[in-house]
Amino acid sequence: MSDTTPDSTADRFCVPAAPDSLNLIAPPENIFDRQAVAAALHQLAEDSADAKTLRNATVGLLSAQMKHGRAVIAEAIAKRPLDAGPAVRAYAYLTDCVVCSTFLLATNVLHPATSADTWEGLALVAVGGYGRAEMAPFSDVDLLFLTPWKLTPWAESVIESMLYMLWDLRLKVGHASRTVNECLRLGKDDHTIRTALLESRYLAGHQPLAQELKKRLRKELFSNTAGDFIESKMSEREARHSKQGGHRYVVEPNVKEAKGGLRDLQALFWIAKYVHGVDRPAELVDLGLFTREEFGYFQRAENFLWAVRNQLHLITGRAMDQLTFDLQVEVADRLDYKDRAGRRGVEIFMQDYFRHATRVGDLTRVLLTAMEADHIRRMPTLAGLFQRRKRVKQGYKIVHGRINIQDEKEFLSDPVNLLRLFDEALRTGYKLHPDAVRAVSANLDLIDDTVRRDPLASKIFLSCLLKRNNPGRALRRMKESGLLGAFIPEFQTVVGMMQFNMYHHYTVDEHTIICIENLCQVEKGELKDELPISTRIVEDGINRRVLYLALLLHDIGKGRPEDHSLLGARVARRVAPRLGLKPKDCETVEWLVRHHLLMSDMAQKRDLSDPRTVRDFAKAVKTQKRLDLLLVLTSCDIRGVGPGVWNNWKAMLLRNLYRQTTEALSTGLEDVNRVSRESDAKKALREALADWDKARLRRETSRHYGPYWQGLQTETQVVMANLLDGLTDDEVRIDLHEDVDRDATRVCFVMADHPGIFARLAGSLALVGANVVDARTFTTKDGYATAAFWIQDADGHPYEVDRLGRLKSMIHKTLGGEIVAGEAMVKRDKIKKREKAFRHPTSVSFDNEGSDIYTIIEVDTRDRPGLLYDIARTLANNNIYLSSAQIATYGTQAVDSFYVKDMFGLKLMGQTKLENLEKKLLHAIEQGASKAAAQ
């Protein structure tokens, strides 16, 4: 705005034209017609009878202009979605026009200045992100009303009128009224205020006042407090990252606040602006803080992140910065990402996001180290000066507490030195100097096939992995510098790769590194309580080289159409010999990668009480050595998926499978049979019911068929025995008890047997929001049904004691017919909005080889509350007896396995019969899913 006193023509309402250098995404006159708005405001001022009428009319006029301008910008963004810079400047320009129009109306008509002194008593200044002239569609509007002295009645009236109009325009306005001295005083004590003032930009009113503020801020506040400001920004950054999960690679990142997000880029510029007074990021190159290549990374990351943020706001119609699963799909589509090579467009988009986020981290390290070199920022920690560290080898030097290269030319004369650098950093405990990392990143072309096959290079790489006690740190820095992908090119494809599901919390590369960190913790004995068997296996001695390399490669085949385990095994077959492993070790690494899901699948998707399960698994594993390796790998893998994924239930399943398989491998597979298990179970029950008389014991041990004795533990059989004792035909007895070992609530039922009992039980549990993780039903020889369900609440934990009463009451009402499960399920069976974006094609498979007496039906589909009920009801309607169900969930995916027989107690045989049942199951599942999605 021009710094003039008011006049009486239409020009008094005309906001300044946008300078040609502004480069907006659409012509400025299309975004806001300055002349037309000025004329309209002039006419409104002439015609309005009073101030209230004029304010209301002005709000109506500007609201229409704002709506039109936003539509113009949104249309331009739709055509050029990645032109983010011109877009965010366009939103800021539109906001300038609206805000300044209200200021001109307030100062020219509503509260005209009576003298030049009055007019000089107020300046309107944009601060914060708005001051930077960068705005997303629904960004906040932060304003500073600047006065030379105490706020006058005139200035107060102008501010009040402006704010009422801006609020009526539904703008989210942050505002403060201060003198220059107050700004300096408050900025000195509050770094948030100081940061906002750093990006102040004059909008309207008395310009010399705004200029005075800038001048005095630089001279009296910024010039001698740079170190303090940098430390404050870094502390804020750490707190912000911690709040957002601490990882750069969380799969639902906050584009603004997360690690590697827009706020990190802005903090870099704030620091440079504070210290060096720069106005544009490009000046960082002239100052020698960034190379031109690094500034290119800065520009591309900033442009990408703003493009994503713009789309989030436009899609949701509000200030939304969390890139949730449902929004990722739409943002990727709007940014023109397409499915290709077996990967969804959204996964390719998120991989780009994470790679940009990684670059932001690199740039932060570069800038902060440059500040340390100039003694502007304090050293990382004072304690570090007194910490005893090993002396660095020849060729390296310590610069400001970080390891750097002594002579770059000499360093680069041997390509293996690129690997030596990381090993030396781990050996000595020093962090890498960004200049050293720059040298590595700029010379990755030195890592060719000759280096990859060099025994010395392999030895150094494996030393980082096996000998330095912190493999995660080494792998992360190698990955972020590009060295890991250069040395093992097969790994580069999974860097930043997101798996679009709710099960995996991290990108593939980050998950891999976390798995290796888990193994390192096991070796240090830090997970003894959580992983006791794995800890014991490692303490007893294990092939560390094989195990670490198998974990590094276990998911390397992801991102392509074929089975990633098979593809990963082929990759392992190439990589392991290249790294110098012996042929036998190479074979074991390949086997572990190929079968890294085998133990988890067997434990979670098959009935471990069925002797056939253990026999088949033991045949696949063959040796105790492989079993030990596979248990440790599987445990580290599941723990690396994300917080809360590893729990007592999974631990119990894996330990049970490991224990039974160890016994089978040592005593022989022929000893794993139903007869011996039944005999052992009856003996254990007699001992547990020692206070029962012989007649009662005889009746209890003779009333159950064989599968009952293998399917339940003695503790649960004792509960069933007590429930069955004296049961009448019209009675339903229920016992609810927390099963601490399984991290679930065990629900035992006994009642007179009748068709469809499993479906009714599943329905009653679904209606109270219970997640079934395991279920077993049996029929006694005298006509009673016994069923045991293990359930968890929505958070994956056992039910609290005070909730068990309601749970028991609902089950009784459903089984007693007071509540019809099918009707009540309609309201309960819903799919959450953020989960609708996931694709889970439904498949049904039949296995007549995995059990001696049952057909195993495996259903792979989208999880939802009514799924188990729909499947069980369909089976019951087709006269299929359901003995047990193993429920495995992976985020929104469910893989449920059912052990079934036909009405004659036989396996399901005949292709036609199986195909008909498959069609009915698919129909029931898809019909239920459609209803759930529609709610």
Side-chain angles (χ1 to χ4, degrees):
M1 293 302 305
S2 58
D3 183 18
T4 59
T5 52
D7 61 36
S8 58
T9 68
D11 288 344
R12 60 185 170 158
F13 298 117
C14 195
V15 300
D20 294 337
S21 61
L22 201 54
N23 182 25
L24 307 181
I25 198 165
E29 60 273 15
N30 291 0
I31 295 171
F32 191 91
D33 192 335
R34 300 181 308 111
Q35 302 291 346
V37 171
L41 284 174
H42 179 70
Q43 193 61 50
L44 289 174
E46 294 290 322
D47 296 345
S48 297
D50 52 55
K52 183 178 179 181
T53 303
L54 176 57
R55 274 199 306 268
N56 291 340
T58 299
V59 168
L61 171 68
L62 293 178
S63 180
Q65 281 295 315
M66 201 161 60
K67 183 178 179 181
H68 169 77
R70 283 178 172 171
V72 169
I73 298 170
E75 185 179 350
I77 289 174
K79 293 175 183 175
R80 296 151 53 197
L82 290 169
D83 247 358
V88 297
R89 289 192 293 273
Y91 281 117
Y93 171 71
L94 174 61
T95 306
D96 285 355
C97 293
V98 171
V99 170
C100 289
S101 293
T102 64
F103 182 87
L104 292 173
L105 184 78
T107 54
N108 280 288
V109 180
L110 297 174
H111 313 286
T114 56
S115 67
D117 288 344
T118 305
W119 175 261
E120 291 170 3
L122 185 63
L124 179 62
V125 178
V127 292
Y130 179 37
R132 199 167 51 247
E134 292 178 345
M135 297 187 78
F138 295 96
S139 291
D140 296 354
V141 180
D142 294 323
L143 297 172
L144 171 64
F145 296 97
L146 194 61
T147 60
W149 48 78
K150 185 179 177 182
L151 200 64
T152 64
W154 173 80
E156 199 169 345
S157 298
V158 169
I159 294 167
E160 184 179 4
S161 291
M162 270 192 72
L163 289 176
Y164 276 123
M165 284 188 280
L166 295 175
W167 289 332
D168 287 345
L169 286 165
R170 300 288 187 269
L171 291 174
K172 191 176 178 183
V173 181
H175 64 94
S177 305
R178 297 186 182 120
T179 65
V180 174
N181 285 336
E182 285 173 334
C183 288
L184 289 164
R185 178 172 54 81
L186 293 169
K188 184 178 180 181
D189 298 330
D190 189 319
H191 285 95
T192 302
I193 293 174
R194 198 188 303 185
T195 306
L197 292 172
L198 177 66
E199 304 215 81
S200 63
R201 178 171 60 92
Y202 168 75
L203 291 176
H206 190 51
Q207 190 168 12
L209 199 55
Q211 291 170 335
E212 180 191 350
L213 174 65
K214 280 208 166 200
K215 188 176 180 181
R216 289 186 62 188
L217 281 170
R218 175 62 55 189
K219 183 179 179 181
E220 300 176 30
L221 186 56
F222 299 165
S223 61
N224 56 0
T225 56
D228 176 53
F229 180 78
I230 294 171
E231 294 306 317
S232 167
K233 291 297 109 183
M234 290 303 98
S235 296
E236 286 177 17
R237 177 175 174 267
E238 287 178 20
R240 179 163 36 83
H241 290 172
S242 178
K243 188 177 179 182
Q244 294 295 324
H247 279 275
R248 183 176 287 113
Y249 308 100
V250 290
V251 292
E252 286 188 295
N254 186 301
V255 175
K256 182 181 177 184
E257 303 290 348
K259 199 170 187 178
L262 269 171
R263 185 64 83 208
D264 280 1
L265 277 178
Q266 290 162 358
L268 290 183
F269 184 63
W270 289 335
I271 290 169
K273 187 179 180 71
Y274 197 99
V275 175
H276 297 288
V278 299
D279 290 319
R280 295 176 300 107
E283 296 173 57
L284 299 174
V285 178
D286 300 331
L287 289 167
L289 298 175
F290 286 159
T291 63
R292 293 208 173 276
E293 185 180 23
E294 286 164 345
F295 177 62
Y297 294 146
F298 183 102
Q299 282 185 305
R300 288 191 289 276
E302 183 181 44
N303 186 74
F304 180 87
L305 292 170
W306 269 115
V308 173
R309 191 176 185 217
N310 284 339
Q311 295 298 345
L312 286 172
H313 283 219
L314 290 170
I315 291 166
T316 60
R318 59 189 175 90
M320 174 63 171
D321 297 320
Q322 193 81 31
L323 196 50
T324 56
F325 288 123
D326 53 322
L327 292 173
Q328 287 172 15
V329 176
E330 196 162 350
V331 172
D333 183 58
R334 290 188 177 208
L335 295 182
D336 205 30
Y337 282 84
K338 306 293 184 187
D339 296 358
R340 68 170 187 265
R343 295 183 65 200
R344 293 185 65 177
V346 64
E347 293 175 326
I348 300 168
F349 157 65
M350 290 304 296
Q351 186 167 27
D352 281 353
Y353 172 89
F354 290 118
R355 286 180 170 175
H356 283 300
T358 299
R359 288 296 189 190
V360 173
D362 294 339
L363 294 172
T364 302
R365 280 186 287 272
V366 167
L367 184 69
L368 294 181
T369 305
M371 297 296 174
E372 286 170 9
D374 293 337
H375 306 289
I376 296 166
R377 184 189 181 223
R378 290 195 293 271
M379 294 285 288
T381 58
L382 207 58
L385 295 174
F386 305 103
Q387 184 178 338
R388 288 181 63 86
R389 284 197 175 99
K390 296 177 182 178
R391 293 180 63 182
V392 294
K393 293 178 181 177
Q394 188 175 348
Y396 303 102
K397 61 183 178 180
I398 302 302
V399 180
H400 298 296
R402 289 182 171 85
I403 191 167
N404 202 353
I405 299 161
Q406 191 82 46
D407 183 329
E408 187 169 320
K409 186 177 180 181
E410 185 179 339
F411 175 81
L412 296 174
S413 65
D414 182 359
V416 177
N417 280 337
L418 273 65
L419 287 159
R420 282 195 183 99
L421 171 66
F422 291 86
D423 187 56
E424 183 67 3
L426 281 183
R427 186 188 71 82
T428 58
Y430 287 106
K431 291 185 177 179
L432 288 166
H433 194 283
D435 287 348
V437 179
R438 275 173 168 167
V440 171
S441 298
N443 294 280
L444 293 174
D445 57 320
L446 296 176
I447 306 294
D448 55 16
D449 281 343
T450 302
V451 178
R452 294 182 192 110
R453 297 184 182 281
D454 186 329
L456 181 57
S458 297
K459 182 180 178 181
I460 294 169
F461 177 78
L462 290 174
S463 172
C464 291
L465 204 58
L466 299 169
K467 294 182 180 178
R468 301 306 186 197
N469 220 24
N470 197 348
R473 178 178 159 193
L475 289 171
R476 275 196 190 87
R477 294 304 286 126
M478 281 186 186
K479 179 194 71 173
E480 290 169 358
S481 68
L483 181 61
L484 182 57
F487 189 64
I488 304 178
E490 297 87 348
F491 193 86
Q492 189 60 30
T493 58
V494 299
V495 172
M497 180 184 287
M498 175 205 178
Q499 302 164 86
F500 191 65
N501 57 56
M502 287 189 68
Y503 179 61
H504 292 93
H505 293 233
Y506 308 112
T507 55
V508 177
D509 53 328
E510 183 65 12
H511 160 72
T512 299
I513 294 172
I514 291 172
C515 290
I516 287 171
E517 288 175 328
N518 286 335
L519 177 54
C520 190
Q521 283 185 280
V522 171
E523 288 192 309
K524 293 175 183 177
E526 294 173 1
L527 300 178
K528 206 164 194 171
D529 292 337
E530 199 172 337
L531 303 177
I533 299 178
S534 293
T535 301
R536 190 257 305 157
I537 289 170
V538 169
E539 286 176 349
D540 289 348
I542 199 166
N543 193 324
R544 299 176 66 243
R545 183 176 291 213
V546 163
L547 192 51
Y548 269 99
L549 191 56
L551 272 174
L552 180 65
L553 302 178
H554 78 282
D555 274 347
I556 204 165
K558 285 196 168 178
R560 277 151 283 193
E562 66 180 291
D563 185 328
H564 81 278
S565 300
L566 298 177
L567 183 56
R570 292 206 298 270
V571 171
R573 196 182 306 158
R574 295 196 305 270
V575 174
R578 207 165 70 209
L579 290 175
L581 269 70
K582 296 174 183 177
K584 192 172 182 181
D585 288 347
C586 292
E587 183 185 333
T588 306
V589 170
E590 181 185 342
W591 185 89
L592 285 169
V593 174
R594 182 187 300 274
H595 297 289
H596 73 271
L597 296 175
L598 176 64
M599 193 169 194
S600 174
D601 285 347
M602 278 290 192
Q604 296 185 70
K605 300 177 186 177
R606 289 295 179 262
D607 185 353
L608 300 185
S609 67
D610 190 322
R612 183 66 178 269
T613 300
V614 177
R615 287 205 305 270
D616 287 351
F617 181 63
K619 285 178 183 177
V621 174
K622 290 186 174 65
T623 68
Q624 186 66 41
K625 174 187 168 185
R626 280 186 173 179
L627 177 63
D628 290 347
L629 288 166
L630 190 57
L631 175 69
V632 179
L633 184 146
T634 302
S635 302
C636 292
D637 187 14
I638 296 175
R639 281 191 90 254
V641 170
V645 175
W646 176 266
N647 54 31
N648 285 350
W649 178 259
K650 292 186 178 78
M652 181 275 302
L653 292 173
L654 287 173
R655 288 169 195 159
N656 191 4
L657 179 57
Y658 176 83
R659 178 183 54 77
Q660 292 188 61
T661 309
T662 296
E663 188 178 334
L665 289 171
S666 62
T667 62
L669 301 184
E670 63 276 1
D671 287 347
V672 183
N673 60 70
R674 294 178 180 277
V675 175
S676 61
R677 285 191 173 188
E678 182 175 338
S679 175
D680 292 343
K682 287 181 178 179
K683 181 181 177 183
L685 182 64
R686 290 189 189 99
E687 291 173 356
L689 296 175
D691 56 335
W692 279 34
D693 60 51
K694 289 184 178 180
R696 289 169 72 198
L697 268 175
R698 193 180 307 111
R699 184 170 63 251
E700 177 60 24
T701 54
S702 62
R703 78 192 314 172
H704 300 287
Y705 294 102
Y708 176 86
W709 299 108
Q710 297 132 30
L712 297 174
Q713 292 178 311
T714 303
E715 180 188 351
T716 306
Q717 289 172 350
V718 169
V719 173
M720 292 293 191
N722 284 304
L723 290 175
L724 283 166
D725 192 35
L727 181 72
T728 60
D729 288 351
D730 59 350
E731 195 178 357
V732 176
R733 292 183 181 178
I734 303 172
D735 175 85
L736 291 92
H737 184 79
E738 182 177 346
D739 191 330
V740 178
D741 291 338
R742 302 188 183 205
D743 217 17
T745 298
R746 185 193 63 210
V747 187
C748 293
F749 306 87
V750 295
M751 67 203 81
D753 190 27
H754 54 80
I757 193 71
F758 191 103
R760 290 179 66 187
L761 294 174
S764 66
L765 292 169
L767 289 178
V768 291
N771 294 320
V772 177
V773 292
D774 197 358
R776 295 162 193 283
T777 59
F778 308 95
T779 302
T780 65
K781 294 174 183 177
D782 51 349
Y784 291 106
T786 58
F789 283 68
W790 281 265
I791 60 174
Q792 294 175 333
D793 64 16
D795 297 320
H797 300 300
Y799 274 80
E800 295 175 2
V801 176
D802 58 355
R803 297 177 64 189
L804 294 181
R806 178 176 175 269
L807 185 64
K808 196 169 186 177
S809 173
M810 177 63 78
I811 293 169
H812 273 294
K813 286 179 180 178
T814 306
L815 294 176
E818 292 181 54
I819 297 174
V820 180
E823 296 174 3
M825 192 68 68
V826 175
K827 295 179 181 178
R828 177 79 197 174
D829 199 13
K830 298 177 182 177
I831 297 174
K832 296 174 183 176
K833 182 185 176 184
R834 68 189 288 263
E835 297 175 2
K836 290 182 179 180
F838 299 110
R839 298 175 187 168
H840 291 296
T842 300
S843 66
V844 177
S845 61
F846 300 91
D847 177 8
N848 274 317
E849 302 299 323
S851 174
D852 293 332
I853 61 174
Y854 295 107
T855 294
I856 304 170
I857 302 176
E858 185 171 289
V859 178
D860 188 338
T861 188
R862 173 191 289 279
D863 192 28
R864 55 185 171 81
L867 176 63
L868 184 59
Y869 172 73
D870 286 344
I871 294 171
R873 185 180 54 176
T874 303
L875 294 174
N877 290 342
N878 286 274
N879 298 313
I880 306 295
Y881 166 70
L882 205 167
S883 172
S884 69
Q886 279 64 49
I887 313 298
T889 55
Y890 307 90
T892 55
Q893 179 189 14
V895 182
D896 298 348
S897 302
F898 303 93
Y899 283 64
V900 303
K901 295 179 180 179
D902 66 14
M903 61 191 298
F904 303 108
L906 303 172
K907 289 186 179 183
L908 310 185
M909 306 299 287
Q911 191 62 31
T912 302
K913 185 177 183 179
L914 294 177
E915 287 175 358
N916 286 337
L917 181 58
E918 180 183 4
K919 287 178 184 177
K920 290 175 182 178
L921 284 168
L922 288 171
H923 175 73
I925 293 166
E926 289 166 8
Q927 187 179 50
S930 297
K931 290 179 181 177
Q935 293 197 62

